[in-house]
Amino acid sequence: MKINKTIIICVISGLMCIFIGSKILSKQKNIDLDDINVSRYINIVDKASENKVQVNWKYVCSIVSVLNNNSQSKVDDNEIFKISNMFIKEDSGKYYINSLKDVVEKLNLDKKKTSLIYKYIDDLEHYSLIPYKTSPNSSYMKFINDIKEVAIDNYKKYNILPSITIAQAILESNWGKSRLSSDFNNYFGIKADASWKGESVSLETNEFYDDTINDKFRKYENKYDSIRDHGKFLHENKRYKNNGVFDAKTYIAQAIALQNAGYSTIEDSSGKQVYAQYLINLIKQYNLQLIDSEVAINKNK
C-alpha cells in the first residue's frame, strides 16, 4: 500500500510542532531562577518605592518574566521600573499600594499569562539573594517567623516597619544568641535609663569601633515583651520623631532616620557610621521588606 508523501510530511511537521511547543511550555512552566539578578530587581523596585510605599520585588519579577517569555536577557531597567510604578498609586499627596490583582488587570493579559504570573510567584516564594538562608526550614527563617506577627502588631501601634523591627532584633541580638538576648530577653540593646522602672543588668558593650564599655540594659520576661517595649521606647523618645523615623514609608528611609536619631553610633574602622547599612543589608538578604509590602496591601483593605 502506497502512503501519500504529503500526508507523511504533514504528520512529521505536526509532531515537530508539538515537540517544539512542549519545549517552550516546559521552559515557561517554571521561572528561570538562575537567570534572575535578585539584587538588580530589589534595587530598581526600591528606587521606585523610594519613601512612598514598599513594592514587592517578586511580584514585579514575575510579571516582567511573563512579559518577556521567561528570558531575563530581554529585560531592561526601565521596564522593571515601569512595572514597579504600576503598584504605586497617589491620592491627595499620600501613596498607597495597588494589589497584584489590580496590576495584572491593568495589563490586560490573557488567562494563560495571568496564571503564569501566579505560578512564577510561587516559584519565587523562598528565593532571595542567599536562597539557602530563606529556606523555610532554616534557623534564620524560624527566628524571623517567630517574631513576625509581633513586629506587625508593633507597626500598627507605633509605625515602626516590621522589616526594621525584625532586622534590629537580628542585628542587636545576633539571632537571639547574644547573652543579653538569651539570658535577659533584651533583643534590641535598649539601655535602662532613668525612665525604666523594671529590672536591669550591667554588661559590656561595643559603643564605638573596637571600644568596649560597661552599661545597664533592660531585662524582660520574654522576647515578645522586648519587641513591644522596642516600639514603645522609640515612640516615647522625641529624638526619633524629630529625625523623621515615624514619617518614613520604606525601610531604607527608616533605617537612615534611626541612625540619624542616634539609635546606634556603631562605626567602621574609618569612622563612618554603618548601622543603617547593616539594617538595609539584612532586610534585603531575608526579603523582610516584603512583609512591609504585605502590611501596606492589607492596610488598603
Side-chain angles (χ1 to χ4, degrees), residues 238-253:
K238 290 183 178 179
R239 72 176 189 268
Y240 295 107
K241 180 180 180 180
N242 294 340
N243 280 276
V245 170
F246 308 111
D247 295 326
K249 307 302 180 186
T250 53
Y251 72 98
I252 293 176

Side-chain angles (χ1 to χ4, degrees), residues 23-207:
K23 284 292 184 181
I24 293 172
L25 186 61
S26 175
K27 182 182 178 183
Q28 291 189 332
K29 188 175 181 181
N30 296 324
I31 197 168
D32 190 351
L33 296 176
D34 293 335
D35 200 29
I36 296 170
N37 185 332
V38 177
S39 181
R40 177 194 186 197
Y41 271 95
I42 290 175
N43 291 337
I44 296 173
V45 169
D46 283 348
K47 183 179 179 181
S49 303
E50 189 174 2
N51 212 20
K52 297 173 184 174
V53 66
Q54 188 63 51
V55 176
N56 186 317
W57 75 263
K58 293 184 180 182
Y59 289 178
V60 174
C61 181
S62 297
I63 292 172
V64 170
S65 296
V66 168
L67 294 177
N68 289 275
N69 296 316
N70 204 12
S71 175
Q72 295 296 319
S73 63
K74 301 176 182 179
V75 179
D76 63 32
D77 292 357
N78 289 331
E79 183 175 12
I80 299 174
F81 191 77
K82 179 182 176 181
I83 296 298
S84 299
N85 273 306
M86 290 186 70
F87 282 91
I88 302 171
K89 59 181 176 181
E90 186 266 338
D91 183 18
S92 302
K94 293 185 178 181
Y95 293 95
Y96 304 89
I97 194 159
N98 285 316
S99 69
L100 175 64
K101 182 174 180 288
D102 290 337
V103 173
V104 171
E105 286 178 354
K106 284 182 181 180
L107 289 168
N108 196 28
L109 301 175
D110 60 35
K111 288 183 179 180
K112 183 179 178 181
K113 288 185 177 180
T114 298
S115 177
L116 205 53
I117 288 171
Y118 287 93
K119 173 64 176 66
Y120 284 178
I121 290 170
D122 287 341
D123 293 342
L124 288 168
E125 182 178 3
H126 305 299
Y127 202 62
S128 65
L129 286 167
I130 311 174
Y132 83 87
K133 288 190 174 183
T134 48
S135 165
N137 295 321
S138 71
S139 59
Y140 308 105
M141 292 311 298
K142 287 177 181 177
F143 179 95
I144 289 167
N145 289 330
D146 185 36
I147 63 175
K148 175 181 172 180
E149 292 305 318
V150 184
I152 290 173
D153 288 341
N154 252 23
Y155 168 71
K156 293 175 181 177
K157 191 170 184 179
Y158 299 113
N159 212 36
I160 304 299
L161 292 167
S163 63
I164 291 291
T165 296
I166 296 171
Q168 284 195 279
I170 292 169
L171 182 59
E172 298 286 350
S173 75
N174 187 26
W175 297 95
K177 295 176 182 177
S178 69
R179 188 184 172 200
L180 186 60
S181 59
S182 61
D183 291 352
F184 307 106
N185 293 309
N186 187 329
Y187 277 65
F188 298 91
I190 299 179
K191 295 175 183 177
D193 56 16
S195 66
W196 178 244
K197 305 304 179 185
E199 293 184 74
S200 63
V201 59
S202 293
L203 292 173
E204 287 187 346
T205 180
N206 290 322
E207 191 70 9

Side-chain angles (χ1 to χ4, degrees), residues 171 259 264-268 272-279:
L171 182 59
Q259 178 175 282
S264 172
T265 53
I266 188 170
E267 300 174 347
D268 62 16
K272 179 183 177 182
Q273 290 197 4
V274 292
Y275 189 71
Q277 195 58 55
Y278 283 170
L279 294 179

